[in-house]
């Protein structure tokens, strides 16, 4: 921080004395250090840097060759991260362009029904906003070397990675806290029901290449439940391994294999959850007409409820009688 303030001060000083001879100031952003150790993976900025995990502190023959083989495949990992975010987004966008949105058959009624409390709406965005930041910064960290570095100078790429690591680590904590609260609070609404199988068989009624079908659904349809439990499983895996990589000293003695396995689980979980999150964003914000309003106002249109969550709508009507 002191170096940053000194650098910033020097920058302003040079601007104030523009008429004097310009003096080149040192760059603020430090380059990303990467070095290859025999029978090890490249150590990147942002990964756990426990001295006990360095080559001189452990027996290389005790390290899993399978773990190393996976983590040394930097290009493969980059392509997986790219596919989970960019490729899935492009494919889904093409699907929406061909298939069209799932519109309300009877249009908007203009009558709104309470669906989420104010607290639930706030909780959702406390999870969603950090999640988006983590996906974008994780993309830079995990896939940037292959997909972004060739598009910019080395100095710009180093700055981008450094900033991404900082934001990734900062937003991880509020994401973990809000996500765990959401998982516990919403789990009772995501339990399997008999109508879920038929919902999947009808693909949720989102295919418009024939006569659209609107399968039965309770408060949450089968697709929303699938995303929730995927989010819970892989989100907890990301949270646990992320904390382990950020604060290894909190978990006692960490073996080299333990650190490598945590990194693998973190990468795989990020790839799976990243793909599911992209689809979830499309479904809520683009695909389903009237769906986005749920998480903006906490209310939904009556015709939206009838078409997409008819079993829940029927219960609401019975309770209001």
């Amino acid at each position: 921080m002191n170096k940053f303030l000194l650098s910033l001060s020097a920058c302003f000083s040079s601007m104030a004395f523009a008429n004097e001879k310009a003096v080149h100031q040192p760059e603020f952003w430090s380059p990303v250090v990467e070095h290859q150790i025999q029978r090890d993976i490249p150590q990147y900025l942002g990964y756990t840097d426990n001295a006990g995990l360095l080559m001189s502190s452990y027996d290389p023959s005790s390290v899993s060759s399978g773990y190393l083989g996976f983590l040394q495949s930097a290009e493969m990992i980059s392509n997986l991260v790219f596919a989970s975010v960019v490729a899935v987004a492009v494919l889904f966008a093409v699907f929406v362009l061909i298939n069209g949105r799932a519109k309300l058959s009877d249009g908007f009624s203009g009558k709104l029904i309470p669906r989420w409390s104010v607290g639930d709406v706030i909780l959702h965005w406390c999870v969603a906003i950090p999640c988006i930041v983590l996906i974008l910064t994780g993309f830079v960290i995990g896939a940037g070397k292959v997909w972004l570095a060739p598009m910019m100078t080395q100095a710009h790429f180093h700055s981008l990675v450094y900033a991404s690591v900082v934001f990734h680590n900062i937003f991880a904590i509020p994401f973990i806290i809000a996500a765990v609260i959401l998982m516990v609070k919403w789990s009772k609404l995501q339990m399997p029901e008999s109508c879920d199988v038929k919902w999947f068989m009808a693909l949720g009624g989102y295919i418009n290449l024939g006569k659209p079908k609107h399968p039965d659904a309770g408060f949450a349809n089968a697709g929303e439940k699938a995303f929730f439990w995927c989010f819970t499983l892989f989100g907890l895996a990301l949270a646990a391994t992320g904390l382990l990589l950020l604060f290894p000293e909190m978990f006692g003695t960490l073996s080299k294999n333990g650190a490598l396995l945590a990194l693998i689980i973190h990468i795989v979980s990020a790839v799976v959850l990243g793909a599911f999150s992209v689809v979830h964003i499309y479904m809520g914000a683009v695909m389903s007409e009237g769906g986005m309003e749920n998480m903006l106002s906490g209310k939904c249109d009556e015709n939206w409820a009838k078409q997409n969550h008819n079993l829940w709508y029927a219960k609401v009507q019975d309770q209001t009688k």
Side-chain angles (χ1 to χ4, degrees), residues 37 48 107 135 145-146 192 197 231 243 279 287 297 302 306:
I37 306 174
T48 178
I135 289 174
K145 188 174 181 181
V146 172
V197 175
F231 176 79
L243 290 173
V279 174
M287 188 67 180
S297 67
E302 185 177 52
K306 290 179 183 178

Side-chain angles (χ1 to χ4, degrees), residues 234-308:
F234 291 101
L236 289 175
L238 279 170
T241 54
L243 290 173
L244 183 65
L245 294 169
L246 276 174
F247 311 107
E249 67 281 354
M250 291 177 57
F251 297 86
T253 303
L254 183 64
S255 68
K256 184 68 176 183
N257 278 334
L260 297 181
L261 180 59
L263 187 54
I264 291 172
I265 293 173
H266 198 80
I267 292 171
V268 172
S269 299
V271 168
V272 175
L273 191 54
F276 268 82
S277 297
V278 170
V279 174
H280 177 72
I281 292 170
Y282 262 104
M283 295 300 293
V286 180
M287 188 67 180
S288 178
E289 184 179 30
M292 187 64 179
E293 285 77 357
N294 282 266
M295 279 306 166
L296 293 177
S297 67
K299 299 178 181 180
C300 65
D301 188 86
E302 185 177 52
N303 286 347
W304 183 90
K306 290 179 183 178
Q307 179 169 308
N308 295 286

Side-chain angles (χ1 to χ4, degrees), residues 106-321:
D106 299 323
F108 289 97
S109 68
K111 181 180 179 181
L112 298 179
I113 302 174
R115 180 165 170 83
W116 297 100
S117 68
V118 174
D120 284 325
V121 172
I122 294 174
L123 179 61
H124 170 269
W125 291 110
C126 285
V127 174
I129 293 174
C131 184
I132 293 173
V133 174
L134 291 172
I135 289 174
L136 295 177
T137 54
F139 176 83
V140 173
I141 297 167
K145 188 174 181 181
V146 172
W147 291 95
L148 298 177
M151 303 178 186
M152 58 186 73
T153 65
Q154 187 178 37
H156 286 142
F157 178 64
H158 287 166
S159 299
L160 178 62
V161 173
Y162 189 95
S164 295
V165 170
V166 171
F167 277 98
H168 199 81
N169 294 344
I170 290 174
F171 279 85
I173 303 304
F175 169 78
I176 292 172
I177 295 172
V180 170
I181 295 173
L182 183 146
M183 292 170 189
V184 173
K185 192 172 188 296
W186 289 10
S187 60
K188 61 184 178 181
L189 300 172
Q190 310 296 326
M191 294 302 172
E193 298 175 276
S194 58
C195 59
D196 291 339
V197 175
K198 292 182 178 179
W199 190 95
F200 275 122
M201 291 178 64
L203 297 177
Y206 289 108
I207 305 299
N208 295 330
L209 302 181
K211 185 177 180 181
K213 298 179 181 179
H214 304 299
D216 293 339
F219 183 88
N221 61 45
E224 292 167 339
K225 292 174 186 176
F227 173 72
F228 176 85
W229 293 114
C230 171
F231 176 79
T232 299
L233 175 62
F234 291 101
L236 289 175
L238 279 170
T241 54
L243 290 173
L244 183 65
L245 294 169
L246 276 174
F247 311 107
E249 67 281 354
M250 291 177 57
F251 297 86
T253 303
L254 183 64
S255 68
K256 184 68 176 183
N257 278 334
L260 297 181
L261 180 59
L263 187 54
I264 291 172
I265 293 173
H266 198 80
I267 292 171
V268 172
S269 299
V271 168
V272 175
L273 191 54
F276 268 82
S277 297
V278 170
V279 174
H280 177 72
I281 292 170
Y282 262 104
M283 295 300 293
V286 180
M287 188 67 180
S288 178
E289 184 179 30
M292 187 64 179
E293 285 77 357
N294 282 266
M295 279 306 166
L296 293 177
S297 67
K299 299 178 181 180
C300 65
D301 188 86
E302 185 177 52
N303 286 347
W304 183 90
K306 290 179 183 178
Q307 179 169 308
N308 295 286
H309 298 273
N310 61 317
L311 300 181
W312 167 73
Y313 173 75
K315 289 182 180 180
V316 172
Q317 293 302 106
D318 290 341
Q319 292 172 359
T320 57
K321 290 181 179 179

